Amino acid sequence: MSKYITTPIYYVNGEAHIGHAYTTFMADTLTRYEKLKGEDTYFLTGTDEHGQKIEESAQKNGKPTQEFADEISATFKNLWDEFGICYDQFIRTTDEDHKKGVQKAFEVMYAKGDIYKDFYEGHYCVSCETFFPETQLIDGEYCPDCGRSTSVIKEESYFFRLSKYENALLDHYSQNPDFILPRSRANEVINFVKGGLRDLSVTRTSFTWGVKMPESMHDEKHVMYVWLDALLNYITALGYGKDDAKMNYWPASTQFVGKDILRFHAIYWPAFLMSLDLPLPKQIGAHGWWTRDGEKMSKSKGNVIAPKEVADVYGAENLRYFMLREVPFGQDGDFSQRAFIDRINSELSNDLGNLLNRIIGMSGKYSEYEIDSVDVAKFHKKELDAMNSVLDSLDTYMENLQTHRYLEELWRVFAIGNKAIEEHAPWVKMKEEKKDEALATVALVANILAKASIMLSPVMPKITNVIADALNFKIDNSSYQELILDKKLLKLFNIKVVPPLFPRVEEPLMPEAPKAMLETKPKEEKKEVKAEKQEMDNLIEIGQFFETSLKVGVIVEAEEVPKSKKLLKLQVDLGEGTLRQVVAGIREYYEPQDLVNTQVCVVANLKPAKLMGMTSEGMLLAAKDEDGLCLVRPEKPKKAGTPIG
Ligand code: ME8
C-alpha cells in the first residue's frame, strides 16, 4: 500500500518560522520512516498564494502580487531544500495545473447540486480568510480566532452545501476513531459539527486575486474562496482535473496540520471530497503550537524564531531532534534555548555520541578496529533481548505520530549499551585475558548503535549515515529488514574512526545564538564582574601570551600508570608525524578508554618533564572547580595540530 503524506501549504505573507518547520519535519520524518519500511511514498508540500491576505501583504511591500508570491514561495522552497526535506512535489496554488484542477472540482460539485448561488452578508476576518456569525464575534466586532477587527461584507456568492454532509461526517468520525490524531482533538470537531453546519460561501466578488471561475459557469465576477482553492491542492498535485497521473496515491495516509486549521481539514475538506466522490484521507494529524513565552508564534505577531538562524548555530538535525523529542504531538510547546541545549548535551552528546567514541576507542585498542559479532549472543543475551523488545515497540509510536515517545524509547537502547560497558568492563576483561568477552561487549555496542541509527535515521538522516558509514553498513530498507526485523547482527568489519559527532554546546552560550532564543541569566553576572576585577591586577602583554604554543591534540592511546591514583599516560597526536607522550593528573576524573579519540587542548612548547619516571612532553588544558575537573576541548572537531590562539 502506498503512503501519501502532506503538510499544509504555507501562506506566502511572510517567511517560514519554527512552527512551519515543525510541521514539515514531522511530515519528512514520517515519510522517511515509511520509506525505510519499504513503502512507496509521496510527500507533498508547497505554498498557498491566493486570497485577500496575500494581496494586502504584497501591496504593503509595494510589489505586484505574483512577484511577491514568487519571492516568498521561493524562500520556503529554498529553506526545505537546505534542510534536506525529501518532498516529492512542491505545489504552488498559482500553478496553472492546480488552478485547472480547482475549476474542475467546482464543476463536479456544481453538477452534483452541491453548489448554488445566493447572497452572503457576514462578518469577515481577512487574516483568517473566514466568515464568522455575529454570535461568535468578540464584542460584536472582533474575530474569535485571531482577535482582529472583522468587516461586514455583503456580496453575491456561490455556496457549498456543507449542511448536507453533517450526518455523513459524524458517521465517518464515529466509524474511524483514528481519523483525527491525537484522538483528544476529535471531540472539538465532533461538537462543532453537532452544533450544526451552515453552508459555506465558496466564492468572492470583493477581490480578484484568486482562481477564476470555470468558463462553463459564465460568471467572471467571482473568484474561488481561498480555502476551497487551497484544500484542493492535495489532489490537484496528483493530477486531479488533468490526467490523474498520481491519483493512485489518494487517499492520503497522513495529512499534517496545526490545530488552528484542523476544522478546515476535518470538516470542510472531507465534505468536499464526499461531494467529489473521492475517499477521505486516512488520518489528519493535528499538532499544537510552538509558543514564545506562552504566546503562539506567528508571522503577524512578529514573535517568530527563524529556523535557519537556529540551524546555523546548533545544526539542522539537532533542531529536528529537539522539536520532535520535546513536545508530545498535539500539545503546545515553548521553544526554550535552555531545553534545547540540555537535550543536545545530555542525549545526543552524552548518551549517543560518547557511546560511539567509546567503542571506536576500545576497538582500536583491543582489536585494531575489528568488530566481530560472533560472541555477542553468547555473552549478551540479556542485553540483546532488552534491545529487541525496545526496537519492536517503536513502530506503534511512529504510527501514532508520537515522536517524543518514539525517541524516548529509542534512547533506552543507548542506556542498555552504556550499562553493558559499565557492567562488563571490557578493559578489566582484557587484563584478565578474556579477550573474547571484551570484544563481545564492544560488538554488542556496535550493534546497538547500528540498529539505533537505522531507527533514528528518519529524524536525523545525515548524521545517522555517518554513523552507519563508520559501522560499515548502509541505512536502507534491506538493512532495516536484516538488522531490525530479522534481528541479525553486523557482519565482521573494521570500524572507521570518526571525530566526535555531537559536540557539546558549552556555556556561556554561543554569542551568535539567535537573539529571540537568548535568555537572560542575571545570577551569573556578579561572579563574572568579580573575576574580571581580580584579573585586572595581574595583566600580561599579548606577546607574553603568544609565547605559549597551544594546539589541538587527539588522544590516540590512554592508560593507567601503575601505582598512581592520579596519573594517566597518554599518547597524543599533535599532527607532527610522531605521537607525544603526555602524563596528566586526570585519573580521578576520566577512564582511560573514554579519552581515546577525543580532542584536547595541549600546551605544546613546555620543556619535557619527568613524572614518576616517565617523560611528559606537554600539558593538557583543564578546568577545575568544586564539582571536579574537566578537560578543555575544541567546540567543534579540528585537525590534530591546529594552533589555538
Ligand atoms: O494556515 N506553531 O497557512 P499558515 C506550530 N495556508 N505550527 C505552526 C505555527 C506555530 N506557532 N504557526 C503556523 C495556513 N504553524 C494555510 C493552510 S492548507 C490547505 C492551507 C503551522 O502559513 C501549522 O501547521 O498560516 C499551520 O497550520 C501551518 O503552519 C500553516 O500556517
Side-chain angles (χ1 to χ4, degrees):
M1 211 180 53
S2 61
K3 301 277 176 178
Y4 180 33
I5 294 162
T6 66
T7 72
I9 45 173
Y10 304 109
Y11 281 133
V12 289
N13 62 331
E15 290 185 16
H17 61 68
I18 288 288
H20 303 117
Y22 176 66
T23 323
T24 309
F25 291 160
M26 280 297 305
D28 188 66
T29 297
L30 184 62
T31 306
R32 288 173 186 275
Y33 183 76
E34 298 295 356
K35 271 192 213 291
L36 191 62
K37 285 169 63 180
E39 301 284 359
D40 173 23
T41 59
Y42 199 75
F43 172 10
L44 176 73
T45 189
T47 43
D48 186 356
E49 306 185 13
H50 288 129
Q52 207 172 340
K53 173 151 87 173
I54 310 299
E55 203 173 35
E56 286 178 3
S57 294
Q59 274 161 14
K60 266 191 215 142
N61 283 274
K63 299 211 164 136
T65 316
Q66 185 66 59
E67 187 184 317
F68 179 72
D70 289 346
E71 277 175 24
I72 305 282
S73 176
T75 65
F76 275 91
K77 188 162 185 290
N78 292 341
L79 184 70
W80 305 150
D81 289 342
E82 259 181 68
F83 281 170
I85 302 299
C86 68
Y87 61 83
D88 294 285
Q89 187 178 344
F90 185 97
I91 193 170
R92 300 182 56 187
T93 53
T94 50
D95 291 343
E96 284 310 314
D97 286 347
H98 168 76
K99 292 191 221 167
K100 289 204 184 97
V102 173
Q103 289 168 336
K104 168 79 183 167
F106 193 95
E107 283 174 332
V108 173
M109 291 171 175
Y110 187 78
K112 199 166 177 187
D114 280 350
I115 288 182
Y116 63 94
K117 198 169 177 180
D118 204 341
F119 277 90
Y120 195 93
E121 180 165 3
H123 300 265
Y124 192 67
C125 172
V126 174
S127 180
C128 298
E129 299 278 17
T130 310
F131 276 108
F132 290 97
E134 194 153 359
T135 50
Q136 282 185 20
L137 298 181
I138 302 166
D139 294 338
E141 181 185 343
Y142 301 102
C143 170
D145 278 0
C146 73
R148 287 189 183 75
S149 170
T150 56
S151 43
V152 177
I153 291 180
K154 177 170 182 182
E155 57 182 63
E156 186 187 78
S157 177
Y158 286 87
F159 285 82
F160 173 76
R161 288 187 204 281
L162 187 61
S163 54
K164 172 178 155 186
Y165 291 98
E166 217 172 277
N167 289 334
L169 286 168
L170 289 171
D171 285 349
H172 188 79
Y173 305 141
S174 75
Q175 282 157 21
N176 299 277
D178 283 333
F179 177 59
I180 299 167
L181 280 185
R183 283 183 180 204
S184 52
R185 289 243 167 263
N187 285 339
E188 290 165 27
V189 172
I190 293 168
N191 290 338
F192 189 91
V193 178
K194 279 189 178 156
L197 294 177
R198 292 150 56 109
D199 289 350
L200 185 71
S201 158
V202 287
T203 64
R204 297 281 183 273
T205 54
S206 51
F207 65 94
T208 54
W209 184 244
V211 178
K212 304 214 168 354
M213 296 294 280
E215 274 174 24
S216 60
M217 300 294 297
H218 306 292
D219 204 345
E220 284 169 15
K221 275 202 312 259
H222 292 258
V223 292
M224 306 276 183
Y225 171 45
V226 62
W227 271 102
L228 175 68
D229 160 6
L231 287 163
L232 287 165
N233 92 89
Y234 302 128
I235 52 173
T236 60
L238 302 179
Y240 179 86
K242 193 187 173 202
D243 53 9
D244 287 349
K246 301 197 190 82
M247 279 300 279
N248 56 307
Y249 283 106
W250 191 257
S253 49
T254 305
Q255 302 209 264
F256 284 100
V257 298
K259 64 179 180 182
D260 48 338
I261 55 171
L262 176 60
R263 206 191 324 146
F264 296 93
H265 285 81
I267 302 173
Y268 301 172
W269 178 224
F272 294 158
L273 287 164
M274 287 177 187
S275 177
L276 296 172
D277 290 318
L278 286 171
L280 307 195
K282 295 267 177 278
Q283 197 174 68
I284 307 286
H287 63 75
W289 286 338
W290 283 92
T291 57
R292 211 41 216 148
D293 303 322
E295 265 207 84
K296 183 185 179 227
M297 218 180 274
S298 78
K299 294 174 243 187
S300 28
K301 282 203 189 104
N303 61 348
V304 301
I305 294 175
K308 173 131 175 40
E309 274 185 47
V310 182
D312 283 350
V313 178
Y314 298 108
E317 295 208 343
N318 288 352
L319 173 62
R320 278 171 79 109
Y321 173 79
F322 170 72
M323 297 192 94
L324 269 51
R325 172 67 186 82
E326 180 74 0
V327 177
F329 185 81
Q331 292 181 21
D332 291 351
D334 213 48
F335 199 91
S336 135
Q337 188 187 32
R338 178 78 274 141
F340 188 2
I341 291 173
D342 285 350
R343 287 207 185 275
I344 297 182
N345 285 348
S346 76
E347 289 158 21
L348 295 175
S349 194
N350 283 0
D351 299 340
L352 167 54
N354 280 351
L355 201 56
L356 181 64
N357 297 342
R358 286 180 92 173
I359 60 153
I360 292 177
M362 286 192 268
S363 66
K365 203 164 162 198
Y366 308 153
S367 58
E368 289 175 8
Y369 299 107
E370 189 178 274
I371 304 246
D372 191 345
S373 304
V374 68
D375 285 329
V376 174
K378 183 167 146 200
F379 293 109
H380 290 291
K381 183 162 178 340
K382 185 182 80 179
E383 287 85 356
L384 285 179
D385 288 347
M387 171 185 69
N388 286 334
S389 90
V390 171
L391 296 174
D392 286 345
S393 74
L394 296 177
D395 192 57
T396 315
Y397 297 118
M398 189 59 88
E399 295 297 332
N400 283 300
L401 315 178
Q402 293 297 327
T403 53
H404 80 293
R405 287 286 287 126
Y406 178 95
L407 290 167
E408 188 182 1
E409 284 303 298
L410 179 56
W411 247 246
R412 286 180 46 204
V413 303
F414 300 130
I416 294 170
N418 274 315
K419 193 157 165 243
I421 294 182
E422 295 317 321
E423 275 179 16
H424 292 262
W427 52 97
V428 176
K429 296 277 155 49
M430 287 299 285
K431 274 193 205 139
E432 294 169 355
E433 301 199 345
K434 292 178 184 158
K435 189 169 176 181
D436 51 347
E437 272 192 66
L439 294 187
T441 306
V442 176
L444 167 77
V445 175
N447 278 285
I448 287 178
L449 282 165
K451 290 169 194 251
S453 299
I454 295 176
M455 300 312 277
L456 182 58
S457 66
V459 180
M460 306 187 85
K462 284 199 185 120
I463 203 102
T464 46
N465 269 339
V466 179
I467 300 176
D469 187 46
L471 299 174
N472 196 43
F473 79 105
K474 275 208 160 40
I475 296 176
D476 55 19
N477 176 246
S478 76
S479 59
Y480 172 79
Q481 288 279 345
E482 280 182 22
L483 295 176
I484 304 295
L485 297 185
D486 300 342
K487 306 187 174 13
K488 290 189 183 153
L489 298 178
L490 292 168
K491 297 189 186 90
L492 180 71
F493 72 102
N494 273 346
I495 195 166
K496 250 191 220 159
V497 178
V498 287
L501 297 180
F502 299 97
R504 287 177 66 82
V505 179
E506 300 293 353
E507 309 276 352
L509 303 171
M510 293 179 195
E512 65 272 38
K515 278 188 206 69
M517 284 179 77
L518 288 176
E519 284 141 354
T520 44
K521 301 183 78 216
K523 256 198 224 149
E524 276 165 34
E525 271 168 25
K526 269 195 200 142
K527 242 200 228 162
E528 275 166 26
V529 174
K530 215 167 136 198
E532 212 171 83
K533 195 175 168 319
Q534 277 174 3
E535 274 165 22
M536 293 279 278
D537 299 332
N538 208 2
L539 299 178
I540 59 164
E541 296 291 335
I542 182 96
Q544 285 172 274
F545 171 71
F546 282 120
E547 282 169 22
T548 313
S549 162
L550 295 173
K551 286 187 180 169
V552 173
V554 178
I555 299 178
V556 178
E557 282 174 41
E559 57 181 288
E560 292 174 18
V561 174
K563 293 195 203 131
S564 170
K565 278 191 194 147
K566 295 212 163 140
L567 298 180
L568 287 181
K569 189 164 86 175
L570 314 171
Q571 303 302 326
V572 183
D573 183 0
L574 286 181
E576 297 164 319
T578 54
L579 300 179
R580 295 257 197 129
Q581 176 162 292
V582 175
V583 182
I586 56 173
R587 172 72 190 93
E588 291 158 277
Y589 309 100
Y590 288 94
E591 290 299 327
Q593 71 276 1
D594 291 347
L595 290 169
V596 175
N597 266 314
T598 65
Q599 298 212 320
V600 282
C601 300
V602 182
V603 182
N605 60 344
L606 276 182
K607 283 193 185 138
K610 286 247 176 197
L611 288 166
M612 287 185 79
M614 296 168 299
T615 310
S616 182
E617 304 162 304
M619 192 180 94
L620 306 189
L621 295 191
K624 192 174 176 189
D625 64 9
E626 57 279 12
D627 291 326
L629 172 143
C630 76
L631 289 167
V632 176
R633 302 178 187 281
E635 175 219 322
K636 289 185 188 140
K638 288 281 155 202
K639 277 198 210 97
T642 306
I644 302 170

